[in-house]
Every structure is written in structure tokens, then in C-alpha cells.
Amino acid sequence: QVQLVESGGGLVRAGGSLRLSCAASGGTFSSLSMGWFRQAPGKDREFVAAILWTSGNTFYADSVKRRFTIFRDIAKATVYLQMNNLKPEDTADYYCAAQTGYSVLAGYKYDYWGQGTQVTVSS
């Protein structure tokens, strides 16, 4: 089975930067895309960013566009999330996930998820 492990979270002041990593292991890795999601205390999980594995095309939530950058290292089977100009509202547990399918009815299918890494942004 594919295992995803996030790292790089921590405490940072508003305006600062942080880089998250998500490494895939447990066998041959193959995915349509890799995505980052976050969940703030008391709130629902929300989409942050995604990258198509082969082409490198990226997608971002409006809330993080122009501040966050998602990129990957194919050889290392690792996806990163570079977070710049962090804001207190970015505080959340961040999760990476591997997309394994898509349908009109169900939307994007993510079968593999990491354990999460905590990001706290102080004002």
C-alpha cells in the first residue's frame, strides 16, 4: 500500500514562510495528481492546492493563490507546498493526498492520505 508522510509544519509568524513535504512510500507510486488539504480547528476540510503528476499543471484555492506554490520531485515521489506570506487564517492541520480517480458525480477521488502536519501562524 502507498503511504504518505507529511512533514515541515510548525509555528511561524504572520508574513513568514514554511515549506511542507509529502513523501510517498510503500511501493511503486502512481497517481493522477497530488493534493494538499487543510482543516482548521472546528472547521471542515478544505482544498488548498493540487498538481497533476505528469504534466505539472497546478491548481489553487483562491484563498492561497499567489501565496502558496505546489511542486513535486518525481524521482523522490514527493510533493511540496511552499507557503509564503502566511496569515493567521492559514492555521490548520495540513494533509496531502493522492488522487486515484475522477467522476462527474463523485468528483475527485483521493484514496491515500497522510497523517497530517500542523501549521500555526501567529499574528
Side-chain angles (χ1 to χ4, degrees):
Q1 273 193 312
V2 174
Q3 183 179 13
L4 304 178
V5 180
E6 301 101 334
S7 62
L11 176 64
V12 66
R13 293 180 179 179
S17 299
L18 210 58
R19 179 180 291 182
L20 306 182
S21 300
C22 174
S25 63
T28 302
F29 179 75
S30 181
S31 177
L32 297 174
S33 72
M34 294 291 294
W36 283 97
F37 298 78
R38 67 186 183 186
Q39 186 169 25
K43 296 185 177 181
D44 293 332
R45 183 186 66 195
E46 66 174 337
F47 170 78
V48 176
I51 183 168
L52 299 184
W53 196 250
T54 300
S55 69
N57 289 349
T58 58
F59 306 87
Y60 299 93
D62 289 341
S63 60
V64 306
K65 208 163 189 176
R66 294 185 295 275
R67 297 189 299 119
F68 291 10
T69 302
I70 185 172
F71 60 100
R72 87 282 198 226
D73 186 327
I74 296 176
K76 294 182 178 180
T78 299
V79 64
Y80 305 88
L81 184 68
Q82 178 65 45
M83 305 183 293
N84 297 325
N85 191 24
L86 283 161
K87 303 176 180 180
E89 51 263 43
D90 294 319
T91 295
D93 288 335
Y94 284 72
Y95 301 86
C96 69
Q99 183 197 351
T100 55
Y102 173 84
S103 71
V104 175
L105 293 178
Y108 298 95
K109 182 181 180 183
Y110 290 89
D111 284 340
Y112 303 100
W113 292 81
Q115 84 290 345
T117 185
Q118 188 174 29
V119 172
T120 302
V121 184
S122 62
S123 59

